Amino acid sequence: MRGRLLYAGSFDPITSGHFDLIKRASKMTPELIIGVLDNQSKTPYYSVEERCDMIRLATEEFENIKIDSFSGLLADYVKKEGFEAVIRGLRATMDFEYEIQMAQMNAHLLDHEVETIFLMTSPDYSFLSSSLVKEVFKLGGNVEEFVPKSVYDYMVKNRK
Ligand code: PNS
């Protein structure tokens, strides 16, 4: 791909599954933007600044990755920034219904000019989600192997 790609999500927090996808997507484009949703109506566990900080720590080694946040419609953000395509991860079968709805709605909102590209999540992480990681972590379980090392250290240091 010649243009910039957007990998959008809540990343509350970034998991090893997200990180694996970021690594793979970064090879497909000159510039990968990780767009963190700043949703005013939903209260995330980590603030948008904390989520961006954790992604920054995890992706320090990559030269073609930028971290940004957005609010409002993803389609408006894509139009404003001129991304070539949007990347999303798919885990086994469970994400399909929701993802196809979003992809089709975004295609409609973007006049079918921007594609959503799906990368299959690595089977090593197909059971992982940010919600599960948060739940296990909050209840004192060990999530060390489910998030990048630097993110784990951040979570422990900033335990709420
Ligand atoms: O990591 P998530 O929570 O699955 O990511 C979902 C995200 C951020 C991609 C989606 O909720 C989104 O695009 N939100 C912005 C608002 C919007 O555009 N909604 C209509 C989607 S068709």
Side-chain angles (χ1 to χ4, degrees), residues 1 5 12 23 25 48 57 67 77 99 101 115-116 120 122 124 156:
M1 302 213 108
L5 291 186
D12 188 26
K23 251 193 322 201
V48 69
L57 286 171
I67 297 130
Y77 177 51
E99 292 296 336
Q101 281 182 343
E115 292 290 344
T116 301
M120 301 307 295
S122 157
D124 296 345
V156 170

Side-chain angles (χ1 to χ4, degrees), residues 37-89:
L37 178 67
D38 184 5
N39 187 345
Q40 314 287 355
S41 63
K42 232 169 90 179
T43 316
Y45 187 59
Y46 292 106
S47 70
V48 69
E49 290 79 16
E50 289 173 319
R51 285 178 278 147
C52 289
D53 283 350
M54 283 188 270
I55 299 171
R56 204 165 285 119
L57 286 171
T59 59
E60 262 170 0
E61 68 193 91
F62 299 96
E63 280 173 7
N64 68 333
I65 288 179
K66 284 215 176 104
I67 297 130
D68 191 17
S69 62
F70 73 100
S71 53
L73 276 181
L74 179 119
D76 288 341
Y77 177 51
V78 168
K79 264 188 224 166
K80 184 171 138 269
E81 294 293 330
F83 297 117
E84 185 173 0
V86 178
I87 296 280
R88 293 283 293 168

Side-chain angles (χ1 to χ4, degrees), residues 7-160:
Y7 179 29
S10 304
F11 305 106
D12 188 26
I14 177 174
T15 67
S16 300
H18 293 131
F19 181 71
D20 172 63
L21 208 125
I22 289 169
K23 251 193 322 201
R24 287 155 56 201
S26 73
K27 294 183 193 144
M28 296 165 53
T29 174
E31 190 165 63
L32 178 69
I33 311 298
I34 305 176
V36 181
L37 178 67
D38 184 5
N39 187 345
Q40 314 287 355
S41 63
K42 232 169 90 179
T43 316
Y45 187 59
Y46 292 106
S47 70
V48 69
E49 290 79 16
E50 289 173 319
R51 285 178 278 147
C52 289
D53 283 350
M54 283 188 270
I55 299 171
R56 204 165 285 119
L57 286 171
T59 59
E60 262 170 0
E61 68 193 91
F62 299 96
E63 280 173 7
N64 68 333
I65 288 179
K66 284 215 176 104
I67 297 130
D68 191 17
S69 62
F70 73 100
S71 53
L73 276 181
L74 179 119
D76 288 341
Y77 177 51
V78 168
K79 264 188 224 166
K80 184 171 138 269
E81 294 293 330
F83 297 117
E84 185 173 0
V86 178
I87 296 280
R88 293 283 293 168
L90 269 188
R91 286 166 303 179
T93 55
M94 61 185 154
D95 291 327
F96 188 75
E97 294 280 330
Y98 172 58
E99 292 296 336
I100 195 168
Q101 281 182 343
M102 277 209 303
Q104 288 174 346
M105 177 59 84
N106 283 328
H108 179 81
L109 295 171
L110 291 162
D111 300 321
H112 299 270
E113 281 178 8
V114 180
E115 292 290 344
T116 301
I117 298 173
F118 292 99
L119 297 185
M120 301 307 295
T121 300
S122 157
D124 296 345
Y125 307 120
S126 60
F127 61 95
L128 258 193
S129 68
S130 294
S131 316
L132 213 52
V133 165
K134 270 182 296 200
E135 186 175 333
V136 172
F137 181 69
K138 282 192 230 171
L139 295 172
N142 186 1
V143 298
E144 198 163 2
E145 55 187 302
F146 305 138
V147 294
K149 171 80 176 82
S150 52
V151 173
Y152 178 72
D153 292 343
Y154 183 103
M155 288 169 74
V156 170
K157 204 169 149 203
N158 297 281
R159 197 179 267 283
K160 301 182 182 206

